Amino acid sequence: MRALLLRDLILAIRAGGGFGLGLAFFLIVVVLVPFSVGPAPELLSRIAAGALWLGALLACLLSLDRILALDWEDGTLDLLATSPLPLEAALAIKALAHWLTTALPLVVAAPLFGVLLNLPAPGFFWLTVSLLVGTPALSIIGAFGAALTVGLKRGGLLLSLLVVPLYVPTLIFGAEVARRGAEGLDATGPLAMLGGITAGTIALMPFASAAVLRMALK
Amino acid sequence: MSIWEYANPVKFLRLSERVLPALWVISFACLAIGLIWGFFFTPDDFRQGSTVKIIYLHVPSALMAINAWFMMLVASLIWLIRRHHVSALAAKAAAPVGIAMTLIALITGAVWGQPMWGTWWVWDPRLTSFLILFLFYIGYVALWSAVDDPDSAADLTSMLCIVGSVFAVLSRYAVNFWNQGLHQGASLSLDKETNVANVFYHPLLFSIAGFVCLFLALVLYRTGTEIRRRRMRALMAREVRHA
Amino acid sequence: MPDLGKYAAEVLSAYGATCVVLCVLVAATLWQGRKVRAELAQVEKNQDGKGAQDG
C-alpha cells in the first residue's frame, strides 16, 4: 500500500500536472470573482468564504479524471484489480494521493487567496479548518466518479456532471462553516456535520468505487 | 405464479400489451376528470385566488418526480441482485419520464411562486432539492448514453442510482439546514388538520391517479421499446457474426 | 371558461407548459416505440429470409 501511494505521488510530481494546474486554476477562479461581481471590498468580504470554497471545489473537480485515467490507459488498473491488495484499499490510497497532491495545496493556498478577496480576519482559521476537513470527502467522492467514467471516451465532461450533484452536501456544510466563521458566529454545528460527511464517505465510498471499478473492468 | 415470471422479456411484453391499452385509457380519463373538475368546477382560494388551480399539476408531478427516482432505485437493486434485464431496462425507461415530471414540478412551482411569493425562484429547501434531483436525473441519463456495452451500462447506472439516492437524501437535509424556506408543508398527509380543503382534495386525487397511471403506462411502453431495441441489437450482432 | 381573475396568465401558462411537456414526452415515447418496432420487424424478416434457425 505504501508503495502504491509513493508511486502515485511520484508520478503526480514528475508529470507536473497535479500541483501546478489545480492551484493555477484555483487562482484564476479567485481572480475572476472580483471581475464578475465588482471590486467593492464589503461585497467581496461577504462572498469570500463561499467563493473560495467554490474555487477549491472546481479545482478539485478538474483533476479527478487523473486519478484513474492514466492507470487505465497503461493497464496498471488491471494489475491492481488482480493484485492481492483489495481494490477498495487501492482506491482509497489513490484518493489519498489525489488529496495530497491536489487538495492539500489548495488548502494551504486558500488563506493566501483569501487576502485577495478581503476575507474577514476570523475567517482565515475557519476557512482552513473547513477545507482541511471537507476536501478529503471531495477526493473520495471524486474517485467514485472517476471509477464510473473510466474508459469512456468522452469521460471528462460526464465526470463533472456526475460528481457535482454528489458534492452538494459537502459544499453546503463546508461553505457554511467558513461563512459563519468569517462572520464571527459559532461554526461548530456545521463543522460537525462536515466531519460526519467526510468520515462517512471515507468509510463507505471506497466499497462503492471498487464495486463500480470491477464492473467497468469486467 | 410469482412476480419474477415477468422477468422473462417475452412474458413481460405479452403482459404489457394486455395491460397497456387499459392503462392509457384510465390515465387519460383520470387526468381529464381531475383537471377539468379542478380547472372549471372548484372555487378560488380566498388567499391564492385562481392560482390554487395549479395544485392539480404541481402536487402530482412533484410526487411522481420523487417516486420515479424511487422506482429506479428499486429496479436498480433488483438488477444488481437478481440480474433481470427487464428490471435494468425499466429503470432506464423511467428516467426521462422522471425528468419530465421534475421539469413540470419546477415550472408550475415557479409560475405559482411568481404572484404568490413575488418571485419566480427562491433558494428554498424544497425547490433547491428538486433542482438537485433534476441534476441527478440528467447525470443518470447521460451515463446510460455514454456507455456502449448495455450490461455494463446497466451496472454502472445502477450503482450511480444507489449512491445518488444516498446523496440526494443527504442533500435534502443539508439544504434544510442551509436555508429555512418559504414553501408550505406537505399538501397531502394523513393528518386531516393540515390537509388541503375537501373541495380541492377530491379533484386532486383524480389528478394524482391520472399521473400515476400515465407514469406506469409510459414506463411499461418505454420498457417494451428498450427490450425490442436490445433484441434488435442482439440479432444484428448475430447477423454480423454469420456473415 | 371560469373566471380566473387577475391570475389568468399564470394559471393558463402553467397548464399550457405542463401540456407541452407531457405531449412531447408521450409523442417521443410513441415515436421511438414505433420506430424500434418497425426496425425490429425488418431485421427479423431479413433473418428469416436467410433461414436463420430461430430468428
Side-chain angles (χ1 to χ4, degrees):
Chain A
M1 285 174 85
R2 198 178 297 156
L4 180 63
L5 178 61
L6 275 177
R7 172 186 166 279
D8 272 18
L9 289 180
I10 291 169
L11 274 180
I13 294 166
R14 292 251 173 87
F19 286 118
L21 274 181
L23 214 51
F25 184 78
F26 188 24
L27 177 61
I28 287 175
V29 172
V30 169
V31 169
L32 286 182
V33 168
F35 291 157
S36 59
V37 301
E42 65 277 15
L43 174 65
L44 282 180
S45 74
R46 261 182 56 214
I47 62 168
L52 286 167
W53 247 95
L54 188 60
L57 186 146
L58 291 177
C60 213
L61 197 63
L62 195 68
S63 54
L64 283 181
D65 61 333
R66 296 177 60 93
I67 297 182
L68 295 175
L70 296 176
D71 288 345
W72 160 262
E73 278 162 18
D74 65 10
T76 315
L77 224 44
D78 294 300
L79 284 180
L80 276 179
T82 51
S83 79
L85 184 66
L87 201 52
E88 286 83 357
L91 276 162
I93 293 292
K94 292 188 89 57
L96 176 63
H98 174 262
W99 184 74
L100 285 174
T101 54
T102 311
L104 202 54
L106 298 180
V107 178
V108 175
L112 298 177
F113 295 169
V115 178
L116 289 177
L117 292 183
N118 225 0
L119 186 70
F124 287 96
F125 172 70
W126 287 109
L127 177 71
T128 315
V129 168
S130 67
L131 280 173
L132 208 54
V133 174
T135 44
L138 299 185
S139 288
I140 205 121
I141 296 171
F144 174 72
L148 270 180
T149 53
V150 75
L152 296 184
K153 281 175 206 78
R154 294 152 289 147
L157 197 56
L158 182 66
L159 175 61
S160 309
L161 184 63
L162 296 180
V163 167
V164 165
L166 302 178
Y167 275 176
V168 168
T170 318
L171 176 64
I172 286 179
F173 287 120
E176 185 78 7
V177 172
R179 191 183 61 79
R180 287 195 185 189
E183 290 174 5
L185 302 170
D186 176 33
T188 46
L191 186 62
M193 301 294 269
L194 184 65
I197 288 179
T198 303
T201 49
I202 290 176
L204 298 176
M205 287 304 274
F207 293 97
S209 315
V212 163
L213 198 54
R214 284 198 196 95
M215 292 164 177
L217 290 176
K218 197 166 49 187
Chain B
M1 190 68 186
S2 86
I3 187 164
W4 302 117
E5 295 251 317
Y6 298 106
N8 177 335
V10 180
K11 281 201 176 130
F12 177 87
L13 282 183
R14 210 175 293 145
L15 175 82
S16 71
E17 302 276 288
R18 262 212 315 272
V19 176
L20 263 176
L23 215 48
W24 286 119
V25 171
I26 295 174
S27 76
F28 282 111
C30 282
L31 274 180
I33 293 173
L35 292 183
I36 290 174
W37 185 355
F39 190 81
F40 291 100
F41 303 110
T42 55
D44 289 354
D45 185 71
F46 70 99
R47 266 181 309 153
Q48 303 179 13
S50 60
T51 57
V52 72
K53 295 184 197 302
I54 296 178
I55 198 177
Y56 306 113
L57 301 171
H58 182 69
V59 171
S61 60
L63 208 63
M64 290 322 294
I66 295 172
N67 286 349
W69 184 272
F70 187 67
M71 180 236 133
M72 281 158 56
L73 172 64
V74 173
S76 300
L77 282 172
I78 294 177
W79 158 250
L80 284 181
I81 296 168
R82 300 197 53 147
R83 313 298 290 179
H84 293 314
H85 285 87
V86 173
S87 179
L89 293 177
K92 181 185 183 185
V97 186
I99 289 186
M101 293 295 170
T102 317
L103 202 58
I104 292 175
L106 286 172
I107 293 175
T108 53
V111 170
W112 182 86
Q114 216 291 318
M116 288 302 114
W117 295 337
T119 166
W120 296 102
W121 183 263
V122 282
W123 288 95
D124 161 278
R126 283 193 183 221
L127 276 71
T128 314
S129 308
F130 258 78
L131 202 58
I132 296 170
L133 182 65
F134 189 64
L135 294 180
F136 272 115
Y137 272 122
I138 291 177
Y140 181 85
V141 172
L143 186 60
W144 258 112
S145 60
V147 186
D148 289 331
D149 177 56
D151 271 6
S152 65
D155 282 339
L156 296 178
T157 51
S158 298
M159 284 302 292
L160 177 66
C161 184
I162 292 166
V163 173
S165 305
V166 175
F167 276 87
V169 173
L170 256 182
S171 305
R172 182 76 182 92
Y173 283 103
V175 165
N176 249 342
F177 178 88
W178 165 75
N179 192 358
Q180 317 297 335
L182 288 174
H183 202 292
Q184 51 271 70
S187 310
L188 291 177
S189 70
L190 294 176
D191 182 11
K192 275 282 172 206
E193 292 296 304
T194 62
N195 236 328
V196 291
N198 271 339
V199 241
F200 305 121
Y201 186 61
H202 295 294
L204 182 57
L205 283 186
F206 271 101
S207 176
I208 289 176
F211 267 84
V212 170
C213 290
L214 183 66
F215 172 77
L216 288 177
L218 281 169
V219 170
L220 277 182
Y221 189 87
R222 297 180 68 95
T223 310
T225 304
E226 294 295 338
I227 290 174
R228 292 193 176 89
R229 192 175 280 158
R230 181 70 67 88
R231 176 169 162 73
M232 193 165 74
R233 205 186 145 99
L235 285 178
M236 276 156 84
R238 198 166 60 188
E239 201 166 357
V240 171
R241 237 179 293 130
H242 281 307
Chain C
M1 197 67 190
D3 179 25
L4 293 172
K6 57 179 175 168
Y7 298 127
E10 278 83 6
V11 176
L12 289 179
S13 61
Y15 274 77
T18 306
C19 187
V20 169
V21 173
L22 282 185
C23 288
V24 168
L25 178 67
V26 172
T29 301
L30 293 181
W31 182 73
Q32 273 178 1
R34 295 256 160 80
K35 204 182 78 174
V36 170
R37 244 171 235 239
E39 283 172 2
L40 179 62
Q42 186 68 38
V43 172
E44 279 179 340
K45 210 174 74 190
N46 283 350
Q47 301 233 324
D48 283 345
K50 282 192 208 129
Q53 299 92 336
D54 54 287

